[in-house]
Amino acid sequence: MVLARRTIWCCRLPAARLIKSLCFRLFRWKPDRLRRGELVAFPTETVYGLGALGLDARAVERIFAAKGRPHSDPVILHVGDPAWVPALVRSLPPLAERAMEAFWPGPLTLVLPKSERVPDVVTAGGDSVAVRMPAHPLALELIRQVGEPVAAPSANLFSRTSPTTAEHVLQDLSGRIEAVLDGGPTTVGVESTVLDLRGPEPVILRPGGVTQEQLARVLECPVSAPGQSVDDGEPAVSPGQLTRHYSPRAEMRLFAGPDAAVLAALRHEAERANSPQTTAVLAFSEDEVELQGLPAEVVDLGSRTRPEQAARALYAAMRDLDARGFTLILARLAPHGGLGDAVNDRLRRAASGRITHVG
Ligand code: TXA
Ligand code: MG
């Protein structure tokens, strides 16, 4: 399928059992292209990444150009094995080893002091580097065949929602990148947790696929997450964590408070807009009965007790509503804790940090 100016190579892999054999055939070609400095988008278990040779400053520069991303925002180096990490960092604290052992491959990114080998463009000139080993078989196969770290931010235009399918990647980057590997929809749906391990205590810079509770349990120490409470204003977090991030084009209004008050507010706002073709409500399965008959499209993000469902559905829902011309999205927060924290972080950013507290 040719979908972009240059070779966009799109191959659907419908069944997990096909992945191995297809990988073998297809990747004999791909790593060479990456090694020549080309950009290839690929699925990870969280979101699609836009990959370039991670230790090649010129290749990484192309990521910033393709995404329209400011150079002040560092990128994550993706490794094919934990054994690749020592060459990228000045020191490896015992907590990092424990975290890698417990959560890699998986949706956890570690921020550590960088070694000389890591180009400045990767770290935005800073002295730390973010590293992660993704769990998706296509991602791992690609990185391992390249044989060195692959720099990869989410494969979207800067400040837009992250892509959870190859089609989303093409919506944003067609004509700007050489290829996208299609592994179908991603399973986690929100980005990795970014964990800073440079200080005396681990700090979550971005909540994501590994939860604060899981980290505290495995690392056996307090893990702080500044600004993650829904009542706080701005989290003081990763350089790239601008408040207006992960945004749909539609205006997003977010409500928090006791159930009955939030549902009444959603109803009130939808009725005030009274435009079912352009107003949508992001809600949970439990809200369905209460929201029946609203003059709005009600999107079910899954059960309030299963935030992993909302994590998987959220970005695709925002993109779908944008594509269908919705201009106002009303939403409520997920219950605090677990993956709900990552979902709420992305909802809050999509609403440019504004939350209306009701009740
Ligand atoms: O799940 C993910 O993490 C996806 C997939 C593709 O791996 N990647 C991703 O990359 O979300 P990106 O660039 O969209 O977000 C990386 C976040 C940004 O907020 C960035 O500021 C932060 O990680 N980051 C990267 N390097 C950092 C560093 N050295 N110190 C602090 N934060 C860093
Ligand atoms: Mg991103």
Side-chain angles (χ1 to χ4, degrees):
M1 187 171 9
V2 176
L3 285 152
R5 193 168 47 81
R6 298 184 61 190
T7 334
I8 285 282
W9 167 77
C10 229
C11 169
R12 194 159 262 300
L13 299 176
R17 67 191 157 76
L18 283 183
I19 289 180
K20 249 200 136 70
S21 63
L22 279 170
C23 280
F24 179 74
R25 268 197 296 130
L26 300 174
F27 285 116
R28 266 191 310 196
W29 173 75
K30 260 311 127 201
D32 277 354
R33 309 278 302 255
L34 253 176
R35 269 195 228 105
R36 287 206 302 265
E38 293 194 352
L39 301 181
V40 56
F42 58 93
T44 79
E45 73 281 26
T46 58
V47 299
Y48 276 67
L50 177 57
L53 215 51
L55 301 180
D56 177 335
R58 265 201 303 179
V60 178
E61 280 286 352
R62 292 199 56 216
I63 289 180
F64 288 85
K67 278 180 62 94
R69 178 175 171 126
H71 281 86
S72 53
D73 192 3
V75 293
I76 299 170
L77 288 183
H78 293 68
V79 297
D81 193 288
W84 295 13
V85 172
L88 305 174
V89 302
R90 274 201 313 281
S91 62
L92 200 56
L95 280 186
E97 298 198 35
R98 203 184 295 179
M100 292 191 291
E101 200 170 304
F103 298 108
W104 280 11
L108 178 67
T109 294
L110 303 178
V111 174
L112 295 162
K114 88 171 187 90
S115 76
E116 295 285 300
R117 285 197 67 195
V118 181
D120 280 346
V121 63
V122 167
T123 65
D127 68 355
S128 66
V129 63
V131 287
R132 133 165 157 87
M133 179 179 173
H136 196 291
L138 270 178
L140 276 181
E141 192 68 29
L142 178 70
I143 297 162
R144 284 174 178 161
Q145 292 214 19
V146 168
E148 48 180 293
V150 172
S154 50
N156 50 282
L157 284 174
F158 178 65
S159 93
R160 309 238 49 103
T161 45
S162 295
T164 56
T165 66
E167 289 77 16
H168 295 164
V169 176
L170 293 172
Q171 281 169 11
D172 279 16
L173 298 178
S174 180
R176 293 166 171 256
I177 64 174
E178 277 78 28
V180 53
L181 309 184
D182 185 351
T186 61
T187 51
V188 177
V190 290
E191 300 85 345
S192 62
T193 302
V194 179
L195 186 70
D196 190 347
L197 287 177
R198 289 170 302 159
E201 182 178 281
V203 179
I204 293 178
L205 302 180
R206 174 180 73 182
V210 172
T211 68
Q212 185 176 12
E213 297 85 347
Q214 286 175 306
L215 287 167
R217 199 178 326 120
V218 164
L219 301 179
E220 296 177 317
C221 68
V223 175
S224 61
Q228 299 311 325
S229 152
V230 295
D231 298 325
D232 290 353
E234 193 98 346
V237 290
S238 283
Q241 292 290 86
L242 305 175
T243 301
R244 187 165 170 78
H245 212 94
Y246 313 110
S247 311
R249 285 194 191 86
E251 181 193 350
M252 179 104 181
R253 278 190 223 148
L254 189 55
F255 296 86
D259 261 7
V262 167
L263 290 167
L266 292 173
R267 176 170 285 282
H268 175 77
E269 291 289 316
E271 282 170 354
R272 200 160 61 126
N274 196 23
S275 176
Q277 271 80 45
T278 60
T279 306
V281 180
L282 297 182
F284 297 97
S285 317
E286 291 84 345
D287 305 330
E288 201 188 311
V289 175
E290 284 290 327
L291 296 178
Q292 248 168 20
L294 275 197
E297 169 123 346
V298 178
V299 178
D300 183 355
L301 292 179
S303 170
R304 278 170 65 75
T305 62
R306 303 273 310 276
E308 68 277 14
Q309 296 178 345
R312 207 176 299 137
L314 183 63
Y315 286 146
M318 287 183 193
R319 278 188 184 256
D320 178 58
L321 292 171
D322 269 346
R324 291 166 53 213
F326 285 83
T327 54
L328 175 63
I329 302 176
L330 307 170
R332 63 176 307 188
L333 291 170
H336 174 66
L339 268 184
D341 292 350
V343 169
N344 288 342
D345 175 75
R346 307 312 189 264
L347 281 170
R348 189 177 53 188
R349 287 172 199 291
S352 298
R354 288 188 305 271
I355 303 177
T356 306
H357 294 267
V358 291

